[in-house]
């Protein structure tokens, strides 16, 4: 199984600013994903982080708002840009290799004030 | 469209057995996952089924019927720490995980 370190674990940010969340995996993985989870709700996929190329975004999410980097097979970042209170949520990084289970980072609890 | 259905909330008694059902309709199937999520924490992996049948792992078991688009998670000898949300997810033909809304399980003494 992979161990995923995600940071920061929580942050309180001013509206209009940006926050970058980092995700580090302890082994090389094929797939890395970024999710958002509103309180009491299930996970919503933001995008698939592709190594060495642009991320693949889901409907309703755009690169200008959620730029993603994945410079290698063990690291990815998600930036939440020009934040508003509606961006307050838990952001989760997930990683896996093909056929098997996906593991999650600890999550980042973001509050925008 | 793609859809995962599971009950919103269930209540069970400590020491008892509970079964959480999940039905799905997805474009393709490449495995079904169950995750446990405690409030304020990230999901943790519980089980993975890709073939029909029962997978047992300690107190937890997961069953899959692909022809029926159905799975269940069985929790035995319930403990108070099992109070959590249980998420069902299906990997579709694009290898994306489609998530259910989760079942909140409440354990009473």
């Amino acid at each position: 199984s992979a161990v995923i370190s995600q940071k920061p674990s929580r942050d309180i940010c001013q509206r209009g600013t940006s926050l970058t969340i980092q995700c580090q995996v302890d082994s090389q993985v094929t797939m890395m994903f970024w999710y958002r989870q509103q309180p009491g709700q299930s996970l919503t996929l933001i995008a698939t982080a592709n190594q060495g190329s642009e991320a693949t975004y889901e409907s309703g999410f755009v690169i200008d708002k959620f730029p993603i980097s994945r410079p290698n097979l063990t690291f990815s970042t998600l930036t939440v840009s020009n934040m508003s209170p509606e961006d307050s949520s838990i952001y989760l990084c997930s990683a896996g290799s093909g056929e098997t289970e996906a593991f999650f980072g600890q999550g980042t609890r973001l509050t925008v004030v | 469209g793609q859809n995962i259905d599971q009950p919103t909330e269930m209540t069970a008694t400590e020491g008892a057995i509970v079964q959480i059902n999940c039905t799905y309709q997805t474009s393709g199937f490449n495995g079904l996952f169950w995750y446990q999520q405690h409030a304020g924490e990230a999901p943790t992996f519980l089980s993975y089924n890709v073939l029909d049948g029962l997978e047992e792992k300690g107190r937890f078991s997961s069953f899959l019927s692909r022809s029926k688009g159905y799975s269940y998670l069985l929790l035995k000898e319930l403990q108070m720490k099992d109070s959590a949300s249980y998420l069902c997810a299906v990997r579709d033909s694009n290898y994306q995980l489609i998530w259910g809304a989760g079942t909140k399980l409440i354990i009473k003494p």
Side-chain angles (χ1 to χ4, degrees):
Chain A
S1 63
V3 176
I4 303 175
S5 299
Q6 183 176 340
K7 59 181 181 181
S9 58
R10 60 178 63 229
D11 207 342
I12 301 173
C13 300
Q14 296 290 324
R15 66 177 66 199
T17 63
S18 297
L19 175 72
T20 296
I21 304 168
Q22 298 182 1
C23 178
Q24 178 74 54
V25 189
D26 69 344
S27 59
Q28 292 189 350
V29 290
T30 307
M31 314 290 282
M32 292 184 76
F33 306 92
W34 288 97
Y35 289 89
R36 183 169 71 182
Q37 186 176 31
Q38 304 284 11
Q41 297 186 21
S42 192
L43 287 76
T44 300
L45 180 64
I46 297 172
T48 302
N50 301 309
Q51 191 266 327
S53 64
E54 193 171 286
T56 304
Y57 290 84
E58 297 302 302
S59 176
F61 298 96
V62 295
I63 187 172
D64 290 345
K65 176 67 177 177
F66 297 101
I68 289 171
S69 78
R70 189 175 175 195
N72 55 53
L73 289 174
T74 63
F75 184 78
S76 179
T77 67
L78 168 74
T79 299
V80 186
S81 303
N82 188 25
M83 289 184 285
S84 66
E86 291 72 34
D87 294 321
S88 297
S89 188
I90 297 173
Y91 292 84
L92 293 158
C93 165
S94 173
S97 290
E99 303 293 322
T100 59
E101 61 270 26
F103 298 92
F104 286 85
Q106 303 93 323
T108 298
R109 184 181 295 273
L110 171 63
T111 303
V112 183
V113 297
Chain B
Q2 308 205 89
N3 197 48
I4 310 284
D5 286 319
Q6 50 182 133
T8 304
E9 186 173 298
M10 298 181 70
T11 302
T13 304
E14 189 177 15
I17 299 172
V18 70
Q19 177 175 311
I20 303 174
N21 295 325
C22 171
T23 58
Y24 63 89
Q25 290 180 309
T26 57
S27 55
F29 178 85
N30 283 295
L32 184 143
F33 300 80
W34 284 96
Y35 286 82
Q36 180 190 61
Q37 186 175 26
H38 286 99
E41 299 182 11
T44 55
F45 170 79
L46 289 178
S47 68
Y48 169 68
N49 294 68
V50 67
L51 299 176
D52 289 351
L54 188 67
E55 294 280 343
E56 298 187 76
K57 190 183 292 185
R59 293 189 299 116
F60 292 3
S61 302
S62 57
F63 171 83
L64 173 67
S65 170
R66 288 172 296 170
S67 62
K68 296 181 180 178
Y70 168 71
S71 173
Y72 67 72
L73 179 69
L74 191 71
L75 293 77
K76 303 176 185 175
E77 302 170 15
L78 286 170
Q79 303 173 10
M80 297 304 292
K81 67 177 182 180
D82 296 330
S83 292
S85 287
Y86 291 85
L87 305 173
C88 173
V90 173
R91 179 169 278 154
D92 69 7
S93 56
N94 294 319
Y95 277 80
Q96 282 194 2
L97 282 176
I98 311 301
W99 293 86
T103 299
K104 183 178 181 181
L105 178 62
I106 300 168
I107 309 297
K108 296 185 176 180

